[in-house]
Amino acid sequence: MTNTGIRTIANVTRIALIGAAAAMALAGCMRTPEEKAEIAARRAAPTAVVMNATKGEAPTESGLSHYRDGYPGFGAPLTAANVQMNDEEASSLQQKLTALSNRRKAGTISEAEYQRRVAEYRKLAEDHGPETLSEITK
């Protein structure tokens, strides 16, 4: 074989390999509708799961379950720690805070009154957690 023949074979082989690689790359980008549905299901937000108590566990008054030997169990149904704020409550709170801020900017409320309300809200924020926790544990 001559050098020209070897080069021709090498070029044809190179083009064939490039074509095969491009075809495989493009085929990897294509997904069937079933594959797309499976991927979407994996990306979806998880659903809440409530677990029932397992054998040997009995729920107590506080909602925590314990084994007979006194150790806590994690098989009791899981519940939310507190009721979540709904959209109406959030918008009401936002309107109150916006109104307070606007009154301060407009000068219709004194700086002392504004600071008093800010301190009241901060005290509420500090005390709300321990008060709610004590109510939950009762």
Side-chain angles (χ1 to χ4, degrees):
M1 253 200 209
T2 63
N3 285 340
T4 310
I6 294 174
R7 285 186 192 146
T8 304
I9 293 172
N11 286 337
V12 169
T13 305
R14 186 179 306 129
I15 291 171
L17 289 174
I18 290 172
M24 288 176 24
L26 290 175
C29 296
M30 305 292 280
R31 289 198 173 93
T32 64
E34 293 82 18
E35 290 174 331
K36 290 179 183 179
E38 181 183 338
I39 291 170
R42 279 186 284 170
R43 291 183 181 172
T47 57
V49 176
V50 177
M51 300 177 66
N52 296 322
T54 58
K55 294 178 183 177
E57 297 182 19
T60 60
E61 290 178 16
S62 67
L64 297 174
S65 65
H66 295 277
Y67 289 105
R68 291 186 188 123
D69 57 3
Y71 287 101
F74 299 101
L78 302 174
T79 58
N82 199 356
V83 177
Q84 299 297 312
M85 179 186 290
N86 60 27
D87 292 338
E88 293 82 23
E89 291 172 331
S91 64
S92 171
L93 182 59
Q94 183 178 7
Q95 289 173 357
K96 286 179 184 178
L97 294 174
T98 303
L100 180 62
S101 175
N102 290 340
R103 289 178 63 191
R104 181 182 187 205
K105 287 178 185 175
T108 58
I109 187 172
S110 67
E111 185 65 24
E113 176 66 17
Y114 176 80
Q115 292 300 331
R116 183 190 68 78
R117 288 189 184 181
V118 168
E120 178 183 332
Y121 291 141
R122 286 187 179 153
K123 183 176 184 309
L124 176 65
E126 289 173 6
D127 296 341
H128 180 70
E131 287 175 5
T132 304
L133 183 60
S134 68
E135 288 178 19
I136 291 172
T137 57
K138 286 183 183 177

